[in-house]
Amino acid sequence: ETGVTQTPRHLVMGMTNKKSLKCEQHLGHNAMYWYKQSAKKPLELMFVYNFKEQTENNSVPSRFSPECPNSSHLFLHLHTLQPEDSALYLCASSQGSSGGTTDTQYFGPGTRLTVL
Amino acid sequence: DQQVKQNSPSLSVQEGRISILNCDYTNSMFDYFLWYKKYPAEGPTFLISISSIKDKNEDGRFTVFLNKSAKHLSLHIVPSQPGDSAVYFCAARTSSGYALNFGKGTSLLVTP
């Protein structure tokens, strides 16, 4: 596998379910990100991890819980979601703080989430 | 309030001609700008970038121009090819954070 991979690619869940999204990067990067893309809206940053430490939480509701066990893996744990949380969830990675001002983020293919 | 704007939702260009995609921003602290290309059912793919110390960056058929005084950048694709048909996102960041601020995207269609 190369680049950034995400599983599952599609997920349908009920409002009372608990599920997790997984992201893995094979680029040797130190920073990982979760973004959300809703219909007709630009990509919105949710969380940033740099060297496994969370450095940004963009006012995301607590029903979304990120986990970064190492620099290569990132999870997004989901529980008691609402239908309006249906969106494309994208993971990205970059060099992070060692990347300097031209640090570039590389994206995975995304997970299309539908909350019923 | 959206800090990066792509005011043209769609653009159609004939194969072989130039495609020009535009992007405006409001935050004068942005110092690094990127263009991403996205096909359906895939994540955004990094295309080209430019830092604020430059006004032009070229990579093959793709050139990005930055006009800091106008807070405007553009992506030129010459010559356009049918495989370039995709949604193009403009993004910007400051040097003090990791967050990329994205525009809503422009859907480019290159017709044979």
Coordinates of all heavy atoms in Angstrom, one line a residue, chain A residues 8-73:
Chain A
P8 N -13.6 2.1 6.6 CA -14.2 1.6 5.3 C -14.3 2.7 4.3 O -14.2 3.9 4.7 CB -15.5 1.0 5.7 CG -15.9 1.9 6.9 CD -14.7 2.2 7.6
R9 N -14.6 2.4 3.1 CA -14.9 3.5 2.1 C -16.3 4.0 2.2 O -16.6 5.2 1.9 CB -14.6 2.9 0.7 CG -13.2 2.6 0.4 CD -12.3 3.8 0.4 NE -12.8 4.9 -0.5 CZ -12.5 4.9 -1.8 NH1 -11.7 4.0 -2.4 NH2 -13.0 5.9 -2.5
H10 N -17.2 3.1 2.6 CA -18.6 3.5 2.8 C -19.1 3.0 4.1 O -18.7 1.9 4.5 CB -19.5 3.0 1.7 CG -19.1 3.5 0.3 ND1 -19.6 4.6 -0.2 CD2 -18.2 3.0 -0.6 CE1 -19.0 4.8 -1.4 NE2 -18.2 3.8 -1.7
L11 N -19.9 3.7 4.8 CA -20.4 3.3 6.1 C -21.8 3.9 6.3 O -22.1 5.1 6.1 CB -19.5 3.8 7.2 CG -19.9 3.4 8.7 CD1 -20.0 1.9 8.9 CD2 -19.0 4.0 9.7
V12 N -22.8 3.0 6.7 CA -24.1 3.4 7.0 C -24.3 3.0 8.5 O -24.1 1.8 8.8 CB -25.2 2.7 6.1 CG1 -26.6 3.2 6.5 CG2 -24.9 3.1 4.6
M13 N -24.8 3.9 9.3 CA -25.0 3.6 10.7 C -26.2 4.3 11.2 O -26.6 5.4 10.7 CB -23.8 4.0 11.5 CG -23.4 5.4 11.5 SD -21.8 5.8 12.3 CE -22.2 5.5 14.0
G14 N -26.8 3.7 12.3 CA -27.9 4.3 12.9 C -27.4 5.2 14.0 O -26.2 5.3 14.3
M15 N -28.3 6.0 14.5 CA -27.9 7.1 15.5 C -27.5 6.5 16.8 O -26.7 7.2 17.5 CB -29.1 8.0 15.7 CG -29.4 8.9 14.5 SD -30.5 10.3 14.9 CE -32.1 9.4 14.9
T16 N -27.8 5.2 17.1 CA -27.4 4.7 18.4 C -26.1 3.8 18.2 O -25.6 3.3 19.2 CB -28.5 3.8 19.0 OG1 -28.9 2.8 18.0 CG2 -29.7 4.7 19.3
N17 N -25.6 3.6 17.0 CA -24.5 2.8 16.8 C -23.2 3.4 17.2 O -23.1 4.7 17.4 CB -24.3 2.4 15.3 CG -25.4 1.5 14.8 OD1 -25.7 1.5 13.6 ND2 -26.1 0.8 15.7
K18 N -22.2 2.6 17.4 CA -20.8 3.0 17.6 C -19.9 2.4 16.5 O -20.0 1.2 16.3 CB -20.2 2.6 19.0 CG -20.8 3.3 20.2 CD -20.1 2.8 21.4 CE -20.6 3.5 22.6 NZ -19.9 3.1 23.9
K19 N -19.2 3.2 15.8 CA -18.3 2.8 14.7 C -17.0 3.5 14.8 O -16.9 4.6 15.4 CB -19.0 3.0 13.4 CG -20.3 2.2 13.1 CD -20.0 0.7 12.9 CE -21.3 -0.1 12.6 NZ -21.1 -1.5 12.5
S20 N -16.1 3.0 14.0 CA -14.8 3.7 13.9 C -14.3 3.8 12.5 O -14.5 2.8 11.7 CB -13.7 3.0 14.8 OG -14.0 3.0 16.1
L21 N -13.7 4.9 12.1 CA -13.0 5.1 10.8 C -11.5 5.0 11.1 O -11.0 5.4 12.1 CB -13.3 6.5 10.2 CG -14.8 6.9 10.2 CD1 -14.9 8.2 9.4 CD2 -15.7 5.8 9.5
K22 N -10.9 4.3 10.1 CA -9.5 4.1 10.2 C -8.7 4.8 9.1 O -9.2 4.8 7.9 CB -9.2 2.6 10.2 CG -7.7 2.2 10.3 CD -7.5 0.7 10.2 CE -6.0 0.4 10.2 NZ -5.7 -1.1 10.1
C23 N -7.6 5.3 9.4 CA -6.7 5.9 8.4 C -5.3 5.4 8.7 O -4.8 5.3 9.8 CB -6.7 7.4 8.5 SG -5.6 8.3 7.4
E24 N -4.5 5.1 7.6 CA -3.1 4.7 7.7 C -2.3 5.4 6.6 O -2.8 5.5 5.5 CB -3.0 3.2 7.5 CG -1.6 2.7 7.7 CD -1.5 1.2 7.8 OE1 -2.6 0.5 7.6 OE2 -0.4 0.6 7.9
Q25 N -1.2 6.0 7.0 CA -0.3 6.7 6.0 C 1.0 5.9 5.9 O 1.6 5.5 6.9 CB -0.2 8.1 6.3 CG 0.5 8.5 7.7 CD 2.0 8.7 7.6 OE1 2.6 8.6 6.6 NE2 2.6 8.9 8.8
H26 N 1.5 5.8 4.7 CA 2.7 5.0 4.3 C 3.7 6.0 3.8 O 4.6 5.6 3.0 CB 2.4 4.0 3.3 CG 1.2 3.1 3.7 ND1 1.3 1.9 4.4 CD2 -0.2 3.3 3.5 CE1 0.1 1.4 4.6 NE2 -0.8 2.2 4.0
L27 N 3.7 7.3 4.2 CA 4.6 8.3 3.7 C 5.7 8.7 4.6 O 6.4 9.6 4.3 CB 3.7 9.5 3.3 CG 2.7 9.2 2.2 CD1 1.7 10.4 2.1 CD2 3.3 8.9 0.9
G28 N 5.7 8.1 5.8 CA 6.7 8.5 6.8 C 6.4 9.9 7.4 O 7.4 10.6 7.9
H29 N 5.2 10.3 7.4 CA 4.8 11.7 7.9 C 4.6 11.7 9.4 O 4.5 10.6 10.0 CB 3.5 12.2 7.2 CG 3.7 12.5 5.8 ND1 2.7 12.7 4.9 CD2 4.9 12.8 5.1 CE1 3.2 13.1 3.7 NE2 4.5 13.2 3.8
N30 N 4.6 12.9 10.0 CA 4.5 13.0 11.4 C 3.2 13.6 11.8 O 2.8 13.6 13.0 CB 5.6 13.9 12.0 CG 7.0 13.2 11.6 OD1 7.2 12.1 12.0 ND2 7.8 14.0 11.0
A31 N 2.4 14.2 10.9 CA 1.2 14.9 11.2 C 0.0 14.2 10.5 O 0.2 13.8 9.3 CB 1.2 16.3 10.9
M32 N -1.1 14.1 11.1 CA -2.3 13.5 10.5 C -3.5 14.3 10.9 O -3.5 15.0 11.9 CB -2.5 12.0 11.0 CG -1.3 11.1 10.5 SD -1.6 9.4 10.8 CE -2.8 9.0 9.5
Y33 N -4.5 14.3 10.0 CA -5.6 15.2 10.0 C -6.9 14.5 9.7 O -6.9 13.6 8.9 CB -5.5 16.3 9.0 CG -4.1 17.0 8.9 CD1 -3.0 16.4 8.4 CD2 -4.0 18.3 9.4 CE1 -1.8 17.1 8.3 CE2 -2.8 19.0 9.4 CZ -1.7 18.3 8.8 OH -0.5 19.0 8.8
W34 N -8.0 14.9 10.3 CA -9.3 14.6 9.9 C -10.0 15.8 9.4 O -10.0 16.9 10.0 CB -10.2 14.0 11.0 CG -9.9 12.6 11.4 CD1 -9.4 12.1 12.6 CD2 -10.1 11.4 10.5 NE1 -9.3 10.7 12.5 CE2 -9.7 10.3 11.3 CE3 -10.7 11.2 9.3 CZ2 -9.8 9.0 10.8 CZ3 -10.7 10.0 8.7 CH2 -10.3 8.8 9.5
Y35 N -10.7 15.7 8.2 CA -11.5 16.7 7.6 C -12.9 16.1 7.3 O -13.1 15.0 7.1 CB -10.9 17.1 6.2 CG -9.7 18.0 6.3 CD1 -8.4 17.5 6.4 CD2 -9.8 19.4 6.2 CE1 -7.3 18.3 6.4 CE2 -8.7 20.3 6.2 CZ -7.5 19.7 6.3 OH -6.4 20.5 6.3
K36 N -13.8 17.1 7.3 CA -15.2 16.7 6.9 C -15.6 17.5 5.7 O -15.4 18.7 5.7 CB -16.1 17.0 8.1 CG -17.6 16.8 7.8 CD -18.4 17.3 9.0 CE -19.9 17.1 8.8 NZ -20.7 17.6 9.9
Q37 N -16.2 16.8 4.7 CA -16.8 17.6 3.6 C -18.3 17.3 3.5 O -18.7 16.1 3.1 CB -16.1 17.2 2.3 CG -16.6 18.1 1.1 CD -15.9 17.8 -0.2 OE1 -15.4 16.7 -0.4 NE2 -15.8 18.8 -1.0
S38 N -19.1 18.3 3.8 CA -20.5 18.1 3.7 C -20.9 18.7 2.3 O -20.2 19.4 1.7 CB -21.3 19.0 4.8 OG -20.8 18.6 6.0
A39 N -22.1 18.3 1.9 CA -22.6 18.7 0.6 C -22.6 20.3 0.5 O -23.0 20.9 1.4 CB -24.0 18.2 0.3
K40 N -22.1 20.8 -0.6 CA -22.2 22.2 -0.9 C -21.3 23.1 0.1 O -21.5 24.3 0.1 CB -23.6 22.8 -0.8 CG -24.6 22.0 -1.7 CD -24.3 22.2 -3.1 CE -25.4 21.5 -4.0 NZ -25.1 21.4 -5.4
K41 N -20.4 22.4 0.8 CA -19.6 23.1 1.7 C -18.1 22.8 1.5 O -17.8 21.7 0.9 CB -19.9 22.7 3.2 CG -21.2 23.3 3.7 CD -21.2 23.0 5.2 CE -22.4 23.6 5.9 NZ -22.5 23.3 7.3
P42 N -17.2 23.7 1.8 CA -15.8 23.4 1.6 C -15.3 22.4 2.7 O -16.0 22.2 3.7 CB -15.1 24.7 1.8 CG -16.0 25.6 2.6 CD -17.4 25.1 2.3
L43 N -14.2 21.8 2.4 CA -13.6 20.9 3.4 C -13.4 21.7 4.7 O -12.9 22.8 4.7 CB -12.2 20.3 3.0 CG -12.2 19.1 2.1 CD1 -12.6 19.5 0.7 CD2 -10.9 18.4 2.1
E44 N -13.7 21.0 5.9 CA -13.6 21.6 7.2 C -12.6 20.8 8.0 O -12.8 19.6 8.2 CB -14.9 21.7 7.9 CG -16.0 22.5 7.2 CD -17.3 22.4 7.9 OE1 -17.5 23.1 8.9 OE2 -18.1 21.5 7.5
L45 N -11.6 21.4 8.6 CA -10.7 20.7 9.4 C -11.4 20.3 10.7 O -12.1 21.2 11.3 CB -9.5 21.6 9.7 CG -8.4 21.0 10.6 CD1 -7.7 19.8 9.9 CD2 -7.4 22.0 11.0
M46 N -11.2 19.1 11.2 CA -11.7 18.6 12.5 C -10.6 18.5 13.5 O -10.7 19.2 14.6 CB -12.4 17.3 12.3 CG -13.6 17.3 11.3 SD -14.2 15.6 11.0 CE -15.1 15.3 12.6
F47 N -9.6 17.7 13.2 CA -8.6 17.5 14.2 C -7.2 17.4 13.5 O -7.1 17.0 12.4 CB -8.8 16.1 14.9 CG -10.1 16.0 15.6 CD1 -11.1 15.2 15.1 CD2 -10.3 16.6 16.9 CE1 -12.3 15.1 15.7 CE2 -11.5 16.4 17.5 CZ -12.5 15.7 17.0
V48 N -6.2 17.8 14.3 CA -4.8 17.7 13.9 C -4.0 17.0 14.9 O -4.1 17.3 16.1 CB -4.2 19.0 13.6 CG1 -2.7 18.9 13.1 CG2 -5.0 19.8 12.6
Y49 N -3.2 16.0 14.5 CA -2.2 15.4 15.4 C -0.8 15.6 14.8 O -0.6 15.3 13.6 CB -2.5 13.9 15.5 CG -3.6 13.5 16.5 CD1 -4.9 13.6 16.1 CD2 -3.3 13.1 17.8 CE1 -5.9 13.3 17.0 CE2 -4.3 12.8 18.7 CZ -5.6 12.9 18.3 OH -6.6 12.6 19.2
N50 N 0.1 16.0 15.7 CA 1.5 16.2 15.2 C 2.3 15.4 16.2 O 2.3 15.6 17.4 CB 1.9 17.7 15.3 CG 3.2 17.9 14.6 OD1 3.6 17.3 13.6 ND2 4.0 18.8 15.2
F51 N 3.1 14.4 15.7 CA 3.9 13.5 16.5 C 3.0 12.9 17.6 O 3.3 12.9 18.8 CB 5.1 14.2 17.2 CG 6.1 14.6 16.2 CD1 6.2 15.8 15.6 CD2 7.1 13.7 15.9 CE1 7.2 16.1 14.6 CE2 8.1 14.0 14.9 CZ 8.1 15.2 14.3
K52 N 1.8 12.4 17.2 CA 0.8 11.7 18.1 C 0.1 12.6 19.1 O -0.7 12.1 19.8 CB 1.5 10.5 18.8 CG 2.1 9.5 17.9 CD 2.5 8.2 18.7 CE 3.6 8.6 19.7 NZ 4.0 7.4 20.5
E53 N 0.5 13.9 19.1 CA -0.2 14.8 20.1 C -1.2 15.6 19.3 O -1.0 16.1 18.3 CB 0.8 15.7 20.7 CG 1.9 15.0 21.5 CD 1.3 14.3 22.7 OE1 0.4 14.8 23.4 OE2 1.8 13.2 23.0
Q54 N -2.4 15.7 19.9 CA -3.5 16.5 19.3 C -3.1 18.0 19.5 O -3.0 18.5 20.6 CB -4.8 16.2 19.9 CG -6.0 16.9 19.2 CD -7.4 16.6 19.8 OE1 -8.1 17.5 20.1 NE2 -7.7 15.3 20.0
T55 N -3.0 18.7 18.3 CA -2.6 20.1 18.4 C -3.8 21.0 18.0 O -3.7 22.2 18.2 CB -1.5 20.3 17.4 OG1 -1.8 19.9 16.1 CG2 -0.2 19.6 17.9
E56 N -4.8 20.4 17.4 CA -6.0 21.2 17.0 C -7.3 20.4 17.1 O -7.3 19.3 16.7 CB -5.9 21.8 15.6 CG -5.2 23.2 15.6 CD -5.2 23.8 14.2 OE1 -6.4 24.2 13.8 OE2 -4.2 24.0 13.6
N57 N -8.3 21.0 17.7 CA -9.6 20.5 17.8 C -10.5 21.6 17.4 O -10.7 22.6 18.1 CB -10.0 20.0 19.2 CG -11.4 19.5 19.3 OD1 -12.3 19.9 18.5 ND2 -11.7 18.7 20.3
N58 N -11.1 21.6 16.2 CA -11.8 22.7 15.6 C -13.2 22.7 16.1 O -14.2 22.7 15.3 CB -11.7 22.6 14.1 CG -11.9 24.0 13.4 OD1 -11.7 25.0 14.0 ND2 -12.2 24.0 12.2
S59 N -13.4 22.8 17.4 CA -14.8 22.9 18.0 C -15.7 21.7 17.5 O -16.8 22.0 17.2 CB -15.4 24.2 17.7 OG -14.6 25.3 18.1
V60 N -15.1 20.5 17.5 CA -15.9 19.4 17.0 C -16.7 18.8 18.2 O -16.1 18.6 19.3 CB -14.9 18.3 16.5 CG1 -15.7 17.1 16.0 CG2 -14.1 18.9 15.3
P61 N -17.9 18.4 18.0 CA -18.8 17.8 19.0 C -18.1 16.5 19.6 O -17.4 15.8 18.9 CB -20.1 17.5 18.3 CG -20.1 18.4 17.2 CD -18.7 18.6 16.7
S62 N -18.4 16.3 20.9 CA -17.7 15.1 21.5 C -18.2 13.8 21.0 O -17.6 12.7 21.4 CB -18.0 15.2 23.0 OG -19.4 15.2 23.3
R63 N -19.2 13.7 20.2 CA -19.6 12.5 19.6 C -18.6 12.0 18.6 O -18.7 10.8 18.1 CB -21.0 12.6 19.0 CG -21.2 13.6 17.9 CD -22.7 13.7 17.5 NE -22.9 14.7 16.4 CZ -23.2 15.9 16.6 NH1 -23.3 16.4 17.8 NH2 -23.4 16.7 15.6
F64 N -17.7 12.8 18.2 CA -16.5 12.5 17.4 C -15.3 12.4 18.3 O -14.9 13.4 18.9 CB -16.3 13.5 16.3 CG -17.4 13.6 15.3 CD1 -18.4 14.5 15.4 CD2 -17.4 12.8 14.1 CE1 -19.4 14.6 14.5 CE2 -18.4 12.8 13.2 CZ -19.4 13.7 13.4
S65 N -14.6 11.3 18.3 CA -13.5 11.1 19.2 C -12.3 10.6 18.5 O -12.3 9.4 18.0 CB -13.9 10.1 20.4 OG -12.8 9.9 21.2
P66 N -11.3 11.4 18.3 CA -10.1 10.9 17.5 C -9.1 10.1 18.4 O -9.1 10.3 19.6 CB -9.5 12.2 17.0 CG -9.8 13.2 18.1 CD -11.1 12.8 18.7
E67 N -8.3 9.3 17.8 CA -7.3 8.5 18.5 C -6.1 8.4 17.5 O -6.3 8.0 16.3 CB -7.8 7.1 18.9 CG -6.7 6.3 19.6 CD -7.2 4.9 19.8 OE1 -8.3 4.5 19.4 OE2 -6.3 4.1 20.3
C68 N -4.9 8.7 18.0 CA -3.7 8.5 17.2 C -2.7 7.7 18.0 O -1.9 8.3 18.7 CB -3.2 9.9 16.8 SG -1.8 9.9 15.6
P69 N -2.7 6.4 17.8 CA -1.8 5.5 18.6 C -0.3 5.6 18.2 O 0.6 5.4 19.0 CB -2.3 4.1 18.3 CG -3.0 4.2 17.0 CD -3.6 5.6 16.9
N70 N -0.1 6.0 16.9 CA 1.3 6.2 16.4 C 1.2 7.1 15.2 O 0.1 7.5 14.7 CB 2.0 4.9 16.1 CG 1.2 4.0 15.1 OD1 0.9 4.4 14.0 ND2 0.7 2.9 15.6
S71 N 2.4 7.5 14.7 CA 2.4 8.5 13.6 C 1.8 8.0 12.3 O 1.5 8.8 11.4 CB 3.8 9.0 13.3 OG 4.3 9.7 14.4
S72 N 1.6 6.7 12.2 CA 1.1 6.1 10.9 C -0.4 5.8 10.9 O -1.0 5.6 9.9 CB 1.8 4.8 10.6 OG 3.2 5.0 10.5
H73 N -1.0 5.8 12.1 CA -2.4 5.4 12.2 C -3.2 6.5 12.9 O -2.8 7.1 13.9 CB -2.6 4.1 13.0 CG -2.0 2.9 12.3 ND1 -0.7 2.6 12.4 CD2 -2.6 2.0 11.4 CE1 -0.4 1.5 11.6 NE2 -1.6 1.2 11.1

